[in-house]
Amino acid sequence: MADITLISGSTLGGAEYVAEHLAEKLEDAGFSTETLHGPLLEDLAPQGIWLVVSSTHGAGDLPENLQPFLDDLNEQKPDLSRVRFGAIGIGSREYDTFCQAIEKLEASLKANGARQIGETLKINILDHDIPEDPAEEWLGSWKNLLNND
Ligand SMILES: Cc1cc2nc3c(=O)[nH]c(=O)nc-3n(C[C@H](O)[C@H](O)[C@H](O)COP(=O)(O)O)c2cc1C
């Protein structure tokens, strides 16, 4: 099993690129990673460290490729007490449902016993042409939290 499993939810690829970029940075730092774009719950072992990266679409909705994962979490209520996770949302402040998809994912993961490491990063694409930049900065402190946890 990889040290860190990255899980992305994306419509046009923005969040996927961020997840892939972070996976590369984590590998550079000596972690092994696995990156899953729009996985189902059954694709994941309920243990280890997950880093969830999701954009928001519709009116506060998850991208279609990650909605089934959230549905599974809410319906199957797996025991995630052996999972620690980090969370990154990508969205636009133009919407009053800014980054609601990652908020829903975070709430559901916690409701199933997963423990969050660090604060959720919410990237406003109006402020950041390249969302990889704030994500990489956040990753620096997240990695330290992982090591000290
Ligand atoms: C039709 C549409 C609806 C959107 N709705 C929201 C929203 O409710 N909240 C939000 O924060 N961002 C919203 N966004 C902004 C996207 O999250 C943002 O463009 C993001 O970079 C898309 O990333 P992706 O390519 O990974 O899907 C919306 C964008 C579009 C095109």
Side-chain angles (χ1 to χ4, degrees):
M1 197 182 77
D3 297 328
I4 301 177
T5 303
L6 292 98
I7 298 166
S8 80
S10 180
T11 304
L12 295 175
E16 277 185 22
Y17 292 137
V18 169
E20 276 163 17
H21 182 75
L22 297 182
E24 221 176 279
K25 294 289 154 198
L26 286 165
E27 297 264 345
D28 290 349
F31 295 96
S32 64
T33 67
E34 179 183 26
T35 306
L36 302 172
H37 301 303
L40 296 172
L41 185 59
E42 68 194 36
D43 299 329
L44 288 145
Q47 59 187 3
I49 303 168
W50 296 357
L51 178 50
V52 186
V53 183
S54 181
S55 64
T56 296
H57 277 274
D61 300 328
L62 265 69
E64 263 178 36
N65 72 342
L66 206 55
Q67 184 64 47
F69 177 76
L70 179 64
D71 293 342
D72 286 351
L73 282 175
N74 291 337
E75 283 159 23
Q76 296 177 23
K77 304 194 190 318
D79 174 8
L80 298 183
S81 54
R82 289 186 301 152
V83 172
R84 293 184 293 156
F85 75 96
I88 298 179
I90 301 173
S92 165
R93 279 263 179 226
E94 275 172 314
Y95 298 86
D96 54 13
T97 48
F98 176 61
C99 280
Q100 274 194 6
I102 198 69
E103 289 175 1
K104 290 176 185 172
L105 286 158
E106 179 192 323
S108 184
L109 288 166
K110 284 181 179 165
N112 288 303
R115 189 157 59 85
Q116 184 165 15
I117 306 292
E119 302 261 308
T120 299
L121 173 68
K122 293 179 184 168
I123 301 172
N124 175 11
I125 52 151
L126 299 180
D127 289 341
H128 298 282
D129 288 341
I130 304 174
E132 282 82 351
D133 290 346
E136 189 177 326
E137 197 182 321
W138 175 94
L139 189 76
S141 38
W142 189 72
K143 271 186 324 205
N144 292 337
L145 292 174
L146 280 184
N147 289 331
N148 298 332
D149 189 63

Short mmCIF file of all heavy atoms in Angstrom, two decimals, residues 41 62 66-78 80 101 103-112:
data_model
loop_
_atom_site.label_atom_id
_atom_site.label_comp_id
_atom_site.label_asym_id
_atom_site.label_seq_id
_atom_site.Cartn_x
_atom_site.Cartn_y
_atom_site.Cartn_z
N LEU A 41 -15.54 3.97 -3.37
CA LEU A 41 -15.08 3.62 -2.03
C LEU A 41 -14.41 2.25 -2.03
O LEU A 41 -13.41 2.03 -1.34
CB LEU A 41 -16.29 3.64 -1.08
CG LEU A 41 -15.99 3.42 0.39
CD1 LEU A 41 -15.02 4.46 0.94
CD2 LEU A 41 -17.29 3.42 1.19
N LEU A 62 -20.53 18.09 -5.92
CA LEU A 62 -19.27 17.41 -6.25
C LEU A 62 -19.19 17.20 -7.76
O LEU A 62 -20.23 17.06 -8.42
CB LEU A 62 -19.24 16.02 -5.58
CG LEU A 62 -18.52 15.94 -4.23
CD1 LEU A 62 -19.31 16.68 -3.17
CD2 LEU A 62 -18.32 14.49 -3.84
N LEU A 66 -16.74 12.14 -8.60
CA LEU A 66 -16.52 11.82 -7.19
C LEU A 66 -17.82 11.71 -6.38
O LEU A 66 -17.79 11.32 -5.22
CB LEU A 66 -15.56 12.85 -6.55
CG LEU A 66 -14.76 12.37 -5.34
CD1 LEU A 66 -13.97 11.10 -5.66
CD2 LEU A 66 -13.85 13.44 -4.81
N GLN A 67 -18.93 12.04 -7.00
CA GLN A 67 -20.22 11.95 -6.29
C GLN A 67 -20.51 10.53 -5.80
O GLN A 67 -20.96 10.35 -4.65
CB GLN A 67 -21.36 12.47 -7.18
CG GLN A 67 -22.72 12.51 -6.50
CD GLN A 67 -22.78 13.48 -5.32
OE1 GLN A 67 -22.35 14.62 -5.44
NE2 GLN A 67 -23.30 13.03 -4.19
N PRO A 68 -20.24 9.49 -6.62
CA PRO A 68 -20.51 8.12 -6.12
C PRO A 68 -19.69 7.78 -4.88
O PRO A 68 -20.17 7.05 -4.01
CB PRO A 68 -20.10 7.22 -7.31
CG PRO A 68 -20.20 8.11 -8.51
CD PRO A 68 -19.81 9.48 -8.03
N PHE A 69 -18.48 8.30 -4.78
CA PHE A 69 -17.64 8.07 -3.59
C PHE A 69 -18.31 8.65 -2.35
O PHE A 69 -18.42 7.99 -1.31
CB PHE A 69 -16.27 8.73 -3.85
CG PHE A 69 -15.30 8.67 -2.71
CD1 PHE A 69 -14.62 7.50 -2.42
CD2 PHE A 69 -15.03 9.79 -1.95
CE1 PHE A 69 -13.70 7.44 -1.37
CE2 PHE A 69 -14.12 9.75 -0.90
CZ PHE A 69 -13.45 8.57 -0.61
N LEU A 70 -18.82 9.88 -2.48
CA LEU A 70 -19.51 10.51 -1.34
C LEU A 70 -20.79 9.75 -1.01
O LEU A 70 -21.11 9.53 0.17
CB LEU A 70 -19.81 11.98 -1.63
CG LEU A 70 -20.54 12.73 -0.52
CD1 LEU A 70 -19.67 12.82 0.74
CD2 LEU A 70 -20.96 14.13 -0.96
N ASP A 71 -21.52 9.35 -2.04
CA ASP A 71 -22.76 8.58 -1.80
C ASP A 71 -22.44 7.31 -1.02
O ASP A 71 -23.14 6.96 -0.07
CB ASP A 71 -23.44 8.22 -3.13
CG ASP A 71 -23.97 9.44 -3.84
OD1 ASP A 71 -24.13 10.50 -3.20
OD2 ASP A 71 -24.22 9.35 -5.07
N ASP A 72 -21.36 6.61 -1.44
CA ASP A 72 -20.96 5.37 -0.75
C ASP A 72 -20.62 5.65 0.71
O ASP A 72 -21.00 4.89 1.60
CB ASP A 72 -19.74 4.74 -1.42
CG ASP A 72 -20.07 4.08 -2.75
OD1 ASP A 72 -21.27 3.95 -3.06
OD2 ASP A 72 -19.13 3.68 -3.47
N LEU A 73 -19.87 6.73 0.94
CA LEU A 73 -19.49 7.07 2.32
C LEU A 73 -20.74 7.27 3.17
O LEU A 73 -20.84 6.77 4.29
CB LEU A 73 -18.68 8.36 2.36
CG LEU A 73 -17.21 8.31 1.95
CD1 LEU A 73 -16.63 9.73 1.93
CD2 LEU A 73 -16.40 7.44 2.90
N ASN A 74 -21.69 8.01 2.62
CA ASN A 74 -22.88 8.34 3.40
C ASN A 74 -23.81 7.14 3.58
O ASN A 74 -24.47 7.02 4.61
CB ASN A 74 -23.64 9.50 2.73
CG ASN A 74 -22.84 10.79 2.82
OD1 ASN A 74 -21.99 10.93 3.70
ND2 ASN A 74 -23.11 11.73 1.93
N GLU A 75 -23.84 6.26 2.57
CA GLU A 75 -24.77 5.12 2.65
C GLU A 75 -24.15 3.93 3.38
O GLU A 75 -24.80 3.30 4.21
CB GLU A 75 -25.20 4.71 1.24
CG GLU A 75 -26.25 5.66 0.67
CD GLU A 75 -26.32 5.61 -0.86
OE1 GLU A 75 -25.91 4.59 -1.44
OE2 GLU A 75 -26.76 6.62 -1.45
N GLN A 76 -22.89 3.63 3.05
CA GLN A 76 -22.27 2.43 3.63
C GLN A 76 -21.68 2.68 5.02
O GLN A 76 -21.42 1.74 5.76
CB GLN A 76 -21.18 1.89 2.70
CG GLN A 76 -21.72 1.42 1.36
CD GLN A 76 -20.60 0.97 0.43
OE1 GLN A 76 -19.51 0.61 0.85
NE2 GLN A 76 -20.87 1.01 -0.87
N LYS A 77 -21.42 3.93 5.33
CA LYS A 77 -20.84 4.31 6.63
C LYS A 77 -19.69 3.37 7.05
O LYS A 77 -19.78 2.68 8.08
CB LYS A 77 -21.92 4.33 7.71
CG LYS A 77 -23.08 5.26 7.38
CD LYS A 77 -23.94 5.51 8.58
CE LYS A 77 -25.23 6.22 8.25
NZ LYS A 77 -25.14 7.31 7.30
N PRO A 78 -18.63 3.33 6.24
CA PRO A 78 -17.51 2.45 6.58
C PRO A 78 -16.78 2.95 7.84
O PRO A 78 -16.87 4.14 8.16
CB PRO A 78 -16.59 2.58 5.36
CG PRO A 78 -16.86 3.96 4.85
CD PRO A 78 -18.32 4.19 5.08
N LEU A 80 -13.79 4.31 9.26
CA LEU A 80 -12.57 4.95 8.75
C LEU A 80 -11.65 5.40 9.90
O LEU A 80 -10.86 6.31 9.73
CB LEU A 80 -12.93 6.14 7.86
CG LEU A 80 -13.75 5.83 6.60
CD1 LEU A 80 -13.95 7.10 5.77
CD2 LEU A 80 -13.09 4.75 5.75
N ALA A 101 -18.07 21.37 -2.15
CA ALA A 101 -17.84 19.93 -2.37
C ALA A 101 -16.85 19.39 -1.35
O ALA A 101 -17.09 18.35 -0.74
CB ALA A 101 -17.34 19.68 -3.79
N GLU A 103 -16.20 20.61 1.50
CA GLU A 103 -16.81 20.66 2.84
C GLU A 103 -17.67 19.42 3.06
O GLU A 103 -17.68 18.84 4.15
CB GLU A 103 -17.68 21.93 2.98
CG GLU A 103 -16.83 23.19 3.07
CD GLU A 103 -17.67 24.46 3.08
OE1 GLU A 103 -18.93 24.38 3.04
OE2 GLU A 103 -17.07 25.55 3.12
N LYS A 104 -18.39 19.01 2.02
CA LYS A 104 -19.23 17.80 2.16
C LYS A 104 -18.37 16.56 2.37
O LYS A 104 -18.69 15.70 3.19
CB LYS A 104 -20.09 17.61 0.90
CG LYS A 104 -21.20 18.65 0.75
CD LYS A 104 -21.94 18.46 -0.57
CE LYS A 104 -22.97 19.56 -0.77
NZ LYS A 104 -23.58 19.52 -2.10
N LEU A 105 -17.28 16.48 1.61
CA LEU A 105 -16.39 15.32 1.73
C LEU A 105 -15.76 15.27 3.12
O LEU A 105 -15.71 14.22 3.76
CB LEU A 105 -15.30 15.38 0.65
CG LEU A 105 -15.80 15.06 -0.76
CD1 LEU A 105 -14.87 15.64 -1.82
CD2 LEU A 105 -15.90 13.54 -0.95
N GLU A 106 -15.29 16.43 3.56
CA GLU A 106 -14.65 16.51 4.88
C GLU A 106 -15.63 16.06 5.97
O GLU A 106 -15.29 15.25 6.84
CB GLU A 106 -14.22 17.97 5.11
CG GLU A 106 -13.58 18.23 6.44
CD GLU A 106 -13.46 19.75 6.72
OE1 GLU A 106 -13.20 20.54 5.79
OE2 GLU A 106 -13.64 20.11 7.89
N ALA A 107 -16.85 16.56 5.91
CA ALA A 107 -17.86 16.22 6.94
C ALA A 107 -18.14 14.73 6.93
O ALA A 107 -18.25 14.09 7.98
CB ALA A 107 -19.13 17.03 6.69
N SER A 108 -18.24 14.15 5.74
CA SER A 108 -18.58 12.73 5.65
C SER A 108 -17.43 11.85 6.12
O SER A 108 -17.64 10.85 6.82
CB SER A 108 -18.97 12.40 4.21
OG SER A 108 -19.38 11.07 4.13
N LEU A 109 -16.21 12.21 5.74
CA LEU A 109 -15.05 11.43 6.20
C LEU A 109 -14.97 11.45 7.73
O LEU A 109 -14.79 10.42 8.37
CB LEU A 109 -13.76 12.01 5.59
CG LEU A 109 -13.57 11.76 4.09
CD1 LEU A 109 -12.46 12.65 3.52
CD2 LEU A 109 -13.23 10.29 3.83
N LYS A 110 -15.17 12.63 8.31
CA LYS A 110 -15.11 12.75 9.77
C LYS A 110 -16.25 11.97 10.43
O LYS A 110 -16.06 11.32 11.45
CB LYS A 110 -15.19 14.22 10.18
CG LYS A 110 -13.91 14.98 9.95
CD LYS A 110 -14.12 16.42 10.42
CE LYS A 110 -12.90 17.27 10.26
NZ LYS A 110 -13.23 18.69 10.39
N ALA A 111 -17.43 12.05 9.83
CA ALA A 111 -18.59 11.34 10.41
C ALA A 111 -18.35 9.84 10.44
O ALA A 111 -18.92 9.13 11.28
CB ALA A 111 -19.85 11.66 9.60
N ASN A 112 -17.48 9.36 9.54
CA ASN A 112 -17.17 7.93 9.51
C ASN A 112 -15.89 7.59 10.28
O ASN A 112 -15.35 6.48 10.15
CB ASN A 112 -17.08 7.45 8.06
CG ASN A 112 -18.45 7.40 7.40
OD1 ASN A 112 -19.34 6.74 7.90
ND2 ASN A 112 -18.63 8.14 6.32
#
